């Protein structure tokens, strides 16, 4: 009985030890392949650089201060992609394939985030509302930007990271002569939004003129048609006997009056 008791006690201790080890190892096992946590300068860091990711990982520790998702194949950022990271200070998304950012992708990061790197992606056009209330310094360089009013509004709505503005170059433009030029250099001489407004105003005037011309044409047609009917009626009256014609003419005059 004593030996049996010792064996049972040993077995119990072994099971308890395995459970403790399992609970310690579980969080690490949940991390995507190629991702690992660390601590840098007292800040909790989570690195997923060159991890062949095609989406933002879901199992990122919510006390992360610095997140590196650079050099992957992430194509777009969905809404609330980082909502569970309230303490995030730095976010590196450079060297990905990001071509689209949904509204609200950075929701929840306004309070603490001070650095956002979106350089070397595939961004062509992004709404200024995407960065609404975000106080972070943003790097938007080395993307195939379409230079238009939308980009102009975006640039005015965000704070660009130091020395990154020269990398925002027109890959395409509403005005061909701007292709290949730095966007800040272009908007020093060109107001894309003002040009767009003028174009819109002209289009509106043309539309209004078109409707006005249609109304005038209808009125002219209506008058001519009634004149023709009146002429035919008078000719008919002339063809009637005298007494009946005078009666019809009086009736016509009374109706007109």
């Amino acid at each position: 009985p004593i030996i049996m008791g010792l064996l049972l006690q040993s077995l119990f201790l072994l099971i308890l030890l395995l459970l403790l080890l399992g609970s310690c190892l579980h969080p690490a096992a949940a991390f995507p392949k190629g991702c690992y946590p660390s601590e840098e300068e007292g800040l909790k860091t989570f690195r997923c650089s060159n991890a062949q990711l095609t989406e933002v990982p879901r199992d990122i520790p919510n006390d992360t201060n610095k997140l590196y998702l650079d050099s992957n194949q992430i194509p777009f950022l969905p809404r609330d992609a980082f909502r569970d990271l309230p303490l995030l200070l730095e976010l590196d998304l450079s060297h990905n394939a990001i071509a689209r950012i949904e509204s609200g992708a950075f929701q929840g990061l306004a309070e603490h985030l001070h650095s956002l790197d979106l350089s070397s992606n595939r961004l062509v056009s992004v709404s200024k509302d995407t960065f609404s209330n975000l106080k972070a310094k943003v790097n938007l360089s080395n993307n195939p930007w379409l230079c238009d009013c939308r980009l102009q509004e975006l640039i005015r709505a965000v704070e660009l990271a130091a020395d990154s503005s020269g990398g925002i170059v027109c890959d395409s433009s509403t005005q061909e002569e701007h292709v290949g030029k730095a966007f800040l250099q272009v908007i020093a001489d060109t107001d894309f939004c003002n040009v767009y407004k003028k174009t819109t105003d002209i289009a509106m005037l043309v539309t209004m003129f078109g409707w006005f011309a249609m109304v005038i044409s209808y009125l002219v047609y209506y008058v001519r048609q009634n004149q023709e009917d009146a002429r035919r009626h008078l000719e008919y009256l002339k063809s009637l006997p005298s007494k009946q014609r005078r009666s019809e003419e009086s009736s016509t005059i009374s109706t007109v009056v």
Side-chain angles (χ1 to χ4, degrees):
I2 296 174
I3 296 174
M4 184 63 70
L6 290 172
L7 287 172
L8 289 173
Q9 187 177 4
S10 299
L11 183 61
F12 174 77
L13 290 172
L14 180 60
I15 293 172
L16 183 62
L17 180 61
L18 289 173
L19 288 173
L20 288 172
L21 287 172
S23 64
C24 292
L25 293 174
H26 178 70
F31 295 150
K33 184 180 179 181
C35 299
Y36 62 91
S38 64
E39 190 164 324
E40 300 177 6
E41 300 177 350
L43 297 175
K44 293 187 176 181
T45 303
F46 194 75
R47 287 190 175 274
C48 290
S49 305
N50 292 295
Q52 299 183 347
L53 298 176
T54 55
E55 62 179 5
V56 177
R58 299 179 183 178
D59 300 310
I60 302 171
N62 56 18
D63 60 349
T64 299
N65 302 127
K66 299 171 69 175
L67 176 59
Y68 292 89
L69 299 174
D70 56 299
S71 304
N72 286 289
Q73 292 93 44
I74 300 172
F76 82 103
L77 301 177
R79 182 180 179 84
D80 294 325
F82 308 98
R83 66 177 179 180
D84 296 324
L85 303 172
L87 303 179
L88 200 61
L89 300 174
E90 297 182 19
L91 176 56
D92 189 347
L93 291 159
S94 63
H95 298 278
N96 272 281
I98 301 170
R100 183 166 61 92
I101 304 176
E102 290 186 355
S103 178
F106 303 112
Q107 190 170 319
L109 300 181
E111 290 297 322
H112 297 93
L113 192 71
H114 63 70
S115 176
L116 172 60
D117 194 344
L118 286 164
S119 63
S120 301
N121 276 283
R122 298 178 185 174
L123 296 172
V124 175
S125 183
V126 179
S127 169
K128 65 177 181 178
D129 296 332
T130 303
F131 302 95
S132 180
N133 300 320
L134 207 62
K135 299 174 183 177
K137 293 182 179 180
V138 185
N139 188 341
L140 298 172
S141 61
N142 299 319
N143 281 279
W145 291 110
L146 165 63
C147 291
D148 60 359
C149 178
R150 202 177 193 202
L151 180 58
Q152 182 172 311
E153 289 181 338
L154 172 63
I155 297 301
R156 289 176 176 174
V158 301
E159 183 179 356
L160 296 176
D163 302 322
S164 69
S165 59
I168 302 174
V169 177
C170 300
D171 187 71
S172 58
S173 177
T174 52
Q175 300 181 31
E176 191 66 28
E177 65 269 20
H178 297 146
V179 175
K181 295 181 180 179
F183 186 65
L184 291 189
Q185 175 188 346
V186 170
I187 59 175
D189 302 316
T190 305
D191 188 337
F192 284 91
C193 296
N194 192 41
V195 169
Y196 174 78
K197 185 177 183 300
K198 286 181 179 178
T199 304
T200 304
D201 290 344
I202 291 171
M204 187 176 295
L205 286 173
V206 169
T207 303
M208 290 176 64
F209 178 79
W211 280 106
F212 182 72
M214 288 176 62
V215 170
I216 295 298
S217 298
Y218 175 77
L219 289 174
V220 170
Y221 169 79
Y222 180 81
V223 170
R224 286 181 177 177
Q225 191 69 24
N226 279 274
Q227 284 179 342
E228 184 66 22
D229 290 341
R231 185 183 64 78
R232 284 199 299 267
H233 187 64
L234 288 173
E235 289 178 354
Y236 168 73
L237 290 176
K238 289 177 181 179
S239 67
L240 294 175
S242 176
K243 186 176 180 179
Q244 185 178 358
R245 186 171 66 237
R246 283 197 297 270
S247 175
E248 289 284 347
E249 286 176 347
S250 298
S251 176
T252 302
I253 294 170
S254 297
T255 302
V256 171
V257 173

